Each structure stands twice: as structure tokens, then as C-alpha cells.
Amino acid sequence: MNFEWTQHRFSGGVLAFDAANTVVLRHDPDKRIDRIATPADLAGFALAASRFCHETEPGASFLPCPTTAFTDFVEMRERIDTHFRAIAVSGKSGLETLAPLISQAGLVLEKEDVEPLRLDAAMALSAMRLAMEISASPALAARVKLCANCGWLLLDKSRNRSRTWCDMAVCGNREKAKRHYYRSQRGANT
């Protein structure tokens, strides 16, 4: 399936979340879409991540993963999602999801030996950096959230911790339009 990688696809706040969010509507098996379903999809994501990811330096780029690393990439993405989704729901980090995340990150990182970083290594480092920050400052766990509309992971960097949607221009507007529709329908039925 061809689609366009846009800034919206990188609204998680960290590369680890942007990678986890490549599975769209993860919570709905009937509508679920995996944007990195084949090894060929990795190159497009690496290019887009180099351009749009909030964690990258201007002009930095990620090397795409070789097709042989596809399985490790997907496994790392799923471990990231499992661990940080659990934090978003419970508000705290748990060893039952952290240990598998660390283990998979180790597998990915032991294969890394080039500069610039391969996408899978950068994703693993992003996840480990955030996991370490949460361990050092457990209050940071409250900033790991799920979008109220699509369920994507996001890191709330707002001053008052009020971020609700992955992207106000997309999910925020959809949610506001939905609320307006239901209010207008209620008014029309009275």
C-alpha cells in the first residue's frame, strides 16, 4: 500500500513512538494498518524520519535497515509499543515489559557499527533513552500518553501536561467535529 509520509506521522515526540505509531488503529483489528508491513517499507520510513522526526538534528539522516533486519525492526517496534503503552495506561514503568524491551534493544544495537545510525539502532536508542529518563524521574511517566482519538503513543511535552491528541490539526479536529455533530444532532432531535 502506497501512502505519503507526512509531518503528522511523526507527532509522537520521540523516534521510538513514531516507529510504534507506524501501526495505525492498533486497537481495532478490523481497521488496523501496518505502514511497515514489508522490508521495502523501511527505506521510506527512514527517509521520512530523517526529515520529520523531532529527535533528529537538522540535516541528520538515518540509514535504512537492511532487509535482513526487518524482523528485528518489527520486534523492536512491538516491544516499544507494549512497554510504553503499559506506562500510558498505568502511569508507571514495569519490569515485565521493560526487560523484553532492553533485551530486544541489545539485539538490535549489537549489530550496529556504522555512522550515521541505522534506523533500527536509532529507534532502540530512543526507546532506551526515554526508559532511562522515566526510571530516573518516575513523574515523567505521566507524560507518556495515548491519543484520545487514534490511540497513538505520544510524549506530552506541554508545559501543563494537557496534550490530548497526537496532532491537533488531525485527531483534535476530528474529535471536535465529532462532538459538534453529536451536539447538533441532539439539538435537532429536541
Side-chain angles (χ1 to χ4, degrees):
M1 173 188 294
N2 279 340
F3 69 95
E4 185 177 342
W5 289 104
T6 62
Q7 179 67 47
H8 164 67
R9 307 266 177 230
F10 295 87
S11 55
V14 291
L15 178 61
F17 289 2
D18 295 335
N21 294 341
T22 60
V23 178
V24 180
L25 297 173
R26 185 180 286 271
H27 59 282
D28 187 344
D30 295 332
K31 296 180 181 177
R32 182 181 173 136
I33 300 168
D34 188 345
R35 301 252 190 236
I36 303 180
T38 68
D41 298 331
L42 288 172
F45 181 69
L47 184 64
S50 297
R51 182 174 175 204
F52 295 121
C53 180
H54 295 286
E55 277 187 315
T56 58
E57 297 294 322
S61 63
F62 301 118
L63 293 177
C65 306
T67 55
T68 56
F70 176 72
T71 303
D72 286 337
F73 176 90
V74 170
E75 188 61 31
M76 186 74 225
R77 176 187 72 180
E78 296 308 306
R79 301 283 171 110
I80 288 167
D81 186 77
T82 299
H83 178 65
F84 290 104
R85 191 168 293 275
I87 290 173
V89 170
S90 71
K92 60 185 182 209
S93 180
L95 290 178
E96 65 281 352
T97 58
L98 181 60
L101 176 69
I102 292 169
S103 177
Q104 185 63 32
L107 290 173
V108 168
L109 292 171
E110 74 184 7
K111 298 173 186 174
E112 178 63 29
D113 62 7
V114 294
E115 189 67 36
L117 282 177
R118 276 187 2 199
L119 177 64
D120 55 346
M123 175 179 68
L125 288 171
S126 172
M128 291 296 84
R129 186 179 312 112
L130 184 56
M132 287 173 36
E133 288 173 4
I134 290 171
S135 292
S137 177
L140 182 60
R143 291 189 178 270
V144 176
K145 296 181 177 182
L146 299 175
C147 175
N149 187 52
C150 69
W152 276 4
L153 284 165
L154 61 96
L155 184 62
D156 183 356
K157 296 178 181 179
S158 67
R159 176 178 260 166
N160 62 358
R161 298 180 185 182
S162 63
R163 187 171 171 196
T164 306
W165 300 291
C166 61
D167 188 338
M168 183 61 200
V170 178
C171 285
N173 283 344
R174 286 179 185 156
E175 192 62 28
K176 286 180 177 185
K178 194 185 320 179
R179 280 191 231 151
H180 175 72
Y181 173 78
Y182 287 122
R183 276 194 310 267
S184 65
Q185 288 299 316
R186 229 178 325 163
N189 292 332
T190 56

